Amino acid sequence: MSLPSHANVVIIGGGVAGCSIAYHLTKIGISDVVLLERKQLTCGTTWHAAGLVGQLRATRNLTELAKYTADLYRSLEAETGQATGFKQNGSISVAKTPARLEELYRGASMGKTFGLEIDHLRVEEIRERWPLLEVGDLVGGIFIRKDGQTNPIDTTQAFARGARMRGAKIFENTKVQGIRVEKGRAVGVETESGYIAADTVVLCAGMWSHALGRAAGVSIPLHAAEHFYIVTEPIAQLPSNLPVLRVYDECAYYKEDARKILMGCFEPVAKPWGMNGIPESFCFDSLPEDADHFEPILAAAVRRVPVLADAGIQLLFNGPESFTPDDRYYIGEAPEVRDLFVATGFNSVGIAASGGAGKVVAQWILDRRPPMDFADVDIRRALPFQSNRRYLHDRTVETLGLLYAMHWPYYQYQTARGARRTALHDRLLALGACMGETAGWERPNWFAPAGVEPRYEYAYGRQNWFDYCGNESRAVRDAVALFDQTCFAKYLVQGRDACAVLNRLSTSNLDVAPGRIVYTQWLNERGGIEADLTITRLEANKFLVVTSAISQTRDLAWLTRYLDDHPALHCTATDVTAGIAMLGVMGPQSRALLTKVSGADLSNAAHPFGQSREIEIGYARVRASRITYVGELGWELYIPAEQVLDVYERLVEAGAEFGLQHAGYHAMAACRVEKGYRHWSHDIADEDTPLEAGLGFTVAWDKEGGFIGRGALLAQKQRGTLPKRLVQLMLEDHSAAAPMLYHEEPIIRDGEIVGSTRSGAWGHRIERSIGMGYVHCDAGVTSDWLAAGRWEIEVAGVPHAARVQLQPWYDPKGERIKS
């Protein structure tokens, strides 16, 4: 079979993800598919995967995809005639500590909202299901009934056979040398056998994806690491129906296969591999054994499963797998290049994820939009700096082990830190800042007082910074707090059509007077929220767009794609994040402080809420925007990066008179949840509409030209009551023992799960455990329906009485921000 000159879709990579995408494309009617594999199918990473098929993931949609994968594997053999080795004996996860047990129980509660069957297990029940296990030091566990295991090679071959049955062509021993990009679009691939043009290119090349993407101008941050496991000789007394076992506290997993035990690990300090490139000959290769590195894991395994002491080790295996900086895989269309999709960086969950990922990517290719919210794994979250090879090497040392480490709330990465720092970094450290990392930015999460070490002591309850965050939150309420918000992404949009462009993208009306700040959303055609931002009209044809740090790549891509699709428009968008520092001055004394350092009239009459203007502080001209993300009187100051130190020093010097206190992002988060301010990717995303999210006030229904998504939003409005709405949540228990809410805790009305939380915090200004989440009622979520119910929120398996309402708990009328 010769290589065709053209295909509708060309897939690079013959692992389980690439073959799954080919299978799913043909299943939805796209049969002109060519898959190219440099050597042989599965020869990179897939062939040596452990084959675990777990279903519980961090979000509802990712769990739904994992459930779909398990269901698909159950039927794939019958459909294709290719054995897969799939069996569904369930999985057990065990805990050695109360903290780990709480993590498991919180996960089980979350799983309930996703429809998973998960049981809490007592120690004796663990022993019944895994009789060869030493359980004396365990405190409990969970059992997920429909988890399973499969043979990775056979399952991939089944995908390939299913794809071929419906017309796809698969070429092995066909190395892709590069992706051809013309005018910002992928148009084909260069191979050793010639060029093949394509309408769509899909990059599923595993650990080769970084280099192939980089050559095409696409950032795909991932790095290979060594991954170890052993396979024993057959063990006569080993039951054949054992569930997959995970002992997270010992970094280990166990799988029975043909009366043998496969035991693998995700050790805390990993070994990155391939820094100097991947050998050209790599094909079904393993890496050198490292018994010394694996020995601590093996010693713990022998104590946990004593039969291992007498079992012969048939194989000590070491093979490479690729890991991303945040342990989440990449799918979707690359923001830098149109018609180039990726599905890669699966962080050792490729077998469990590939069925669902293949289905989603195929549908995404067909519709040219994601079928559901995938913000957690969307390639548009990647940032260009993350493709730096040293950064990836250093982060990979940690990320492999984090798969089985405690998933603490507010966990901060320990490796590859300091990539992005503000001009105030050293000043804030000297004041006791405990730095966290978001999108590579070092930013203060909280400030330790004198004599206290600024480091995290993690827990599921109140962590060691709880009281310090409370002090900062009360300073926001009672005096004035200073936030370094430089990490927020900023774009300058200008040109004679700038207003028309932004008006078409935005729900709100941007045709306002210069100096006005507009809070708005950008929607997709379904009415879902793609971006949540503020836009300031600086001049008639010049606007400043501000969004969150995590959305820097995504939102700019959304804007520039629109401009690319409308080349006749006279409008440019420039990312100016690095050049503009941003300080938040928030609290009832903010006006007095800023008046003193600037001499400007900042009264309500001269500078009302929602207005922006230039003032002078020190030697700098500063854009002062009266807006807030904490629910208090305050200003965001936009300052040339080279002058922020001068402005900062003058604010600090004058601030002592007004009780100025530095504050971090934990305080900001607590305050914004109290005020009901939404956070994109938590409370709102591309499946949530402004009406469901309580943001209908941003919608200018009748503005000239309308906006993207207006039709879908109007249809939802005309239906009347909404079956899904974002609500504000508060636990009735406000004692020190009240549990903390984080995300995806089930929301229960009259004994029935009707939703789940999206975000949570302790509100220090009101002294309550609070959160936000969506609830569902087919007849419509109304104030009366909310008031008529008995509400609870389940945390780690325990229901807690709660209050639910639509308006925010703190200053619901917004009087403080306009004072």
Side-chain angles (χ1 to χ4, degrees):
M1 183 169 59
S2 60
L3 196 69
S5 61
H6 175 272
N8 189 334
V9 181
V10 172
I11 300 170
I12 305 171
V16 67
C19 290
S20 174
I21 292 170
Y23 167 90
H24 283 93
L25 282 167
T26 61
K27 205 165 186 177
I28 60 174
I30 302 176
S31 58
D32 185 15
V33 175
V34 169
L35 184 147
L36 306 174
E37 164 53 47
R38 59 183 290 277
K39 297 289 185 182
Q40 293 174 251
L41 297 184
T42 79
C43 75
T45 292
T46 296
W47 74 276
H48 62 74
L52 309 185
V53 185
Q55 297 178 82
L56 181 60
R57 294 291 178 260
T59 67
R60 178 182 302 275
N61 285 343
L62 294 183
T63 300
E64 290 296 335
L65 293 188
K67 289 165 62 179
Y68 167 82
T69 299
D71 291 341
L72 175 62
Y73 287 172
R74 192 163 48 242
S75 62
L76 195 57
E77 181 174 339
E79 177 191 346
T80 64
Q82 166 69 50
T84 63
F86 179 69
K87 58 182 182 179
Q88 211 162 14
N89 294 338
S91 74
I92 291 175
S93 298
V94 301
K96 294 173 62 176
T97 67
R100 177 70 75 176
L101 191 62
E102 178 167 357
E103 176 182 272
L104 295 178
Y105 283 179
R106 280 179 176 262
S109 291
M110 179 174 68
K112 286 184 182 179
T113 71
F114 304 155
L116 290 180
E117 297 180 61
I118 306 178
D119 299 329
H120 291 193
L121 296 181
R122 300 189 304 274
V123 173
E124 55 269 27
E125 293 173 315
I126 296 171
R127 181 62 182 266
E128 289 172 6
R129 284 180 166 86
W130 238 90
L132 301 180
L133 193 67
E134 171 56 52
V135 299
D137 59 345
L138 301 182
V139 296
I142 61 172
F143 177 62
I144 304 180
R145 294 179 178 273
K146 292 187 177 180
D147 280 359
Q149 61 192 69
T150 196
N151 182 300
I153 293 177
D154 291 345
T155 301
T156 304
Q157 292 291 353
F159 277 137
R161 180 175 291 184
R164 288 190 183 105
M165 288 165 54
R166 289 185 288 267
K169 300 179 179 65
I170 296 178
F171 294 85
E172 296 181 288
N173 298 303
T174 306
K175 181 184 176 183
V176 171
Q177 298 172 315
I179 300 166
R180 185 180 293 183
V181 177
E182 296 177 358
K183 297 180 179 179
R185 293 181 178 270
V187 297
V189 298
E190 308 280 357
T191 80
E192 292 177 331
S193 304
Y195 174 71
I196 175 169
D199 302 318
T200 303
V201 177
V202 190
L203 182 53
C204 308
M207 54 191 173
W208 288 270
S209 299
H210 176 271
L212 283 167
R214 191 182 189 119
V218 174
S219 177
I220 307 177
L222 55 80
H223 199 292
E226 300 182 27
H227 180 58
F228 298 85
Y229 60 74
I230 63 163
V231 179
T232 70
E233 299 284 354
I235 300 172
Q237 65 269 45
L238 193 67
S240 62
N241 62 346
L242 285 177
V244 169
L245 171 68
R246 294 179 178 87
V247 187
Y248 294 110
D249 296 311
E250 294 169 355
C251 313
Y253 61 86
Y254 301 78
K255 181 187 81 165
E256 181 277 330
D257 190 6
R259 301 283 180 174
K260 304 173 186 178
I261 291 178
L262 183 153
M263 188 280 290
C265 70
F266 295 100
E267 67 277 20
V269 180
K271 296 180 65 179
W273 179 82
M275 288 73 71
N276 298 317
I278 302 169
E280 178 62 31
S281 61
F282 195 96
C283 179
F284 294 111
D285 286 10
S286 60
L287 304 179
E289 296 179 1
D290 189 340
D292 290 341
H293 185 80
F294 190 65
E295 193 280 330
I297 304 294
L298 182 58
V302 170
R303 292 190 295 270
R304 183 61 54 201
V305 183
V307 70
L308 290 175
D310 299 318
I313 295 179
Q314 185 180 83
L315 174 67
L316 170 55
F317 183 82
N318 179 15
E321 297 195 21
S322 57
F323 291 83
T324 65
D326 59 6
D327 264 340
R328 291 177 276 141
Y329 55 87
Y330 298 126
I331 58 173
E333 190 176 17
E336 302 94 338
V337 176
R338 304 288 286 267
D339 303 325
L340 175 59
F341 285 74
V342 300
T344 191
F346 281 95
N347 305 286
S348 284
V349 299
I351 302 302
S354 60
K359 177 184 179 182
V360 164
V361 173
Q363 196 65 45
W364 202 330
I365 290 169
L366 177 65
D367 298 335
R368 276 330 197 242
R369 63 171 186 256
M372 55 183 79
D373 171 29
F374 291 114
D376 277 357
V377 293
D378 194 317
I379 183 63
R380 289 175 292 175
R381 75 184 189 278
L383 294 157
F385 85 90
Q386 292 177 311
S387 283
N388 177 278
R389 285 186 286 265
R390 173 57 62 88
Y391 170 87
L392 288 170
H393 169 275
D394 293 351
R395 176 56 61 84
T396 302
V397 170
E398 180 181 14
T399 48
L400 179 145
L402 289 179
L403 290 176
Y404 275 23
M406 284 291 299
H407 296 91
W408 294 115
Y410 307 107
Y411 176 79
Q412 302 298 320
Y413 292 105
Q414 302 298 305
T415 55
R417 294 292 297 268
R420 305 173 85 183
R421 310 179 207 183
T422 77
L424 303 181
H425 181 78
D426 290 346
R427 302 291 183 96
L428 301 178
L429 285 178
L431 291 169
C434 185
M435 292 290 180
E437 184 228 347
T438 295
W441 285 101
E442 295 293 319
R443 57 187 211 175
N445 280 344
W446 54 279
F447 287 83
V452 174
E453 185 179 355
R455 64 178 179 83
Y456 280 87
E457 295 175 9
Y458 295 112
Y460 273 100
R462 299 182 176 190
Q463 297 187 8
N464 62 313
W465 47 266
F466 180 89
D467 290 337
Y468 312 135
C469 176
N471 293 337
E472 296 167 21
S473 299
R474 287 183 286 273
V476 172
R477 180 191 66 191
D478 301 332
V480 58
L482 178 65
F483 295 90
D484 184 357
Q485 297 177 242
T486 300
C487 66
F488 280 53
K490 314 163 198 78
Y491 320 127
L492 192 63
V493 181
Q494 50 192 336
R496 67 170 177 263
D497 296 317
C499 184
V501 167
L502 292 174
N503 240 355
R504 179 63 182 159
L505 291 173
S506 302
T507 57
S508 305
N509 186 5
L510 272 298
D511 194 5
V512 295
R516 278 284 306 278
I517 309 164
V518 178
Y519 171 56
T520 191
Q521 285 79 46
W522 292 347
L523 308 184
N524 53 45
E525 293 288 355
R526 296 167 293 176
I529 301 171
E530 293 285 347
D532 180 69
L533 23 75
T534 60
I535 301 177
T536 302
R537 191 170 200 173
L538 306 177
E539 300 172 8
N541 296 328
K542 183 185 292 187
F543 296 80
L544 179 66
V545 178
V546 180
T547 188
S548 66
I550 62 169
S551 298
Q552 183 172 358
T553 297
R554 180 189 179 99
D555 291 357
L556 185 61
W558 189 262
L559 173 57
T560 55
R561 287 282 171 94
Y562 182 83
L563 295 177
D564 290 344
D565 289 340
H566 300 82
L569 293 172
H570 188 274
C571 180
T572 61
T574 308
D575 189 332
V576 294
T577 303
I580 301 178
M582 178 178 168
L583 300 179
V585 181
M586 301 289 159
Q589 292 296 316
S590 57
R591 177 182 284 121
L593 170 58
L594 290 174
T595 298
K596 180 170 183 176
V597 296
S598 69
D601 181 358
L602 300 176
S603 65
N604 274 321
H607 198 149
F609 181 77
Q611 291 286 338
S612 178
R613 70 189 235 239
E614 288 191 335
I615 62 175
E616 293 184 356
I617 300 177
Y619 299 130
R621 289 187 64 80
V622 174
R623 175 158 296 279
S625 296
R626 189 173 168 191
I627 196 168
T628 178
Y629 196 46
V630 294
E632 302 286 354
L633 173 70
W635 279 260
E636 291 176 350
L637 306 180
Y638 296 85
I639 309 157
E642 71 273 18
Q643 291 186 289
V644 67
L645 275 170
D646 177 45
V647 173
Y648 169 78
E649 288 169 350
R650 295 174 190 273
L651 287 170
V652 171
E653 181 181 10
E657 176 185 345
F658 304 99
L660 177 71
Q661 185 169 333
H662 287 76
Y665 280 81
H666 289 338
M668 180 179 289
C671 291
R672 72 100 184 161
V673 175
E674 284 178 310
K675 194 68 177 66
Y677 288 154
R678 283 63 165 159
H679 185 281
W680 195 89
S681 83
H682 287 95
D683 312 301
I684 49 178
D686 60 12
E687 285 186 355
D688 309 311
T689 73
L691 300 185
E692 294 166 341
L695 298 173
F697 65 89
T698 72
V699 179
W701 295 100
D702 299 322
K703 67 176 177 177
E704 184 178 354
F707 56 88
I708 295 172
R710 180 181 182 274
L713 215 57
L714 190 61
Q716 188 177 60
K717 179 184 180 184
Q718 291 170 344
R719 284 195 295 269
T721 57
L722 299 167
K724 165 190 167 186
R725 293 185 75 176
L726 186 70
V727 297
Q728 309 298 314
L729 308 160
M730 176 191 289
L731 294 185
E732 293 283 10
D733 181 2
H734 55 273
S735 70
M740 305 291 288
L741 302 180
Y742 296 114
H743 68 98
E744 295 295 358
E745 291 94 357
I747 303 172
I748 302 167
R749 182 185 187 271
D750 296 338
E752 177 185 355
I753 294 175
V754 296
S756 60
T757 63
R758 287 287 187 91
S759 58
W762 183 270
H764 292 277
R765 292 179 296 191
I766 60 174
E767 294 298 333
R768 294 290 190 277
S769 185
I770 56 176
M772 284 186 271
Y774 287 90
V775 295
H776 302 257
C777 174
D778 290 341
V781 176
T782 63
S783 295
D784 289 343
W785 181 78
L786 295 176
R790 177 177 59 86
W791 293 91
E792 296 170 308
I793 299 173
E794 182 178 313
V795 181
V798 179
H800 297 265
R803 300 181 201 174
V804 180
Q805 63 184 36
L806 294 172
Q807 67 267 31
W809 300 108
Y810 185 75
D811 188 27
K813 296 182 180 180
E815 295 170 341
R816 296 181 67 88
I817 64 175
K818 298 177 181 178
S819 60

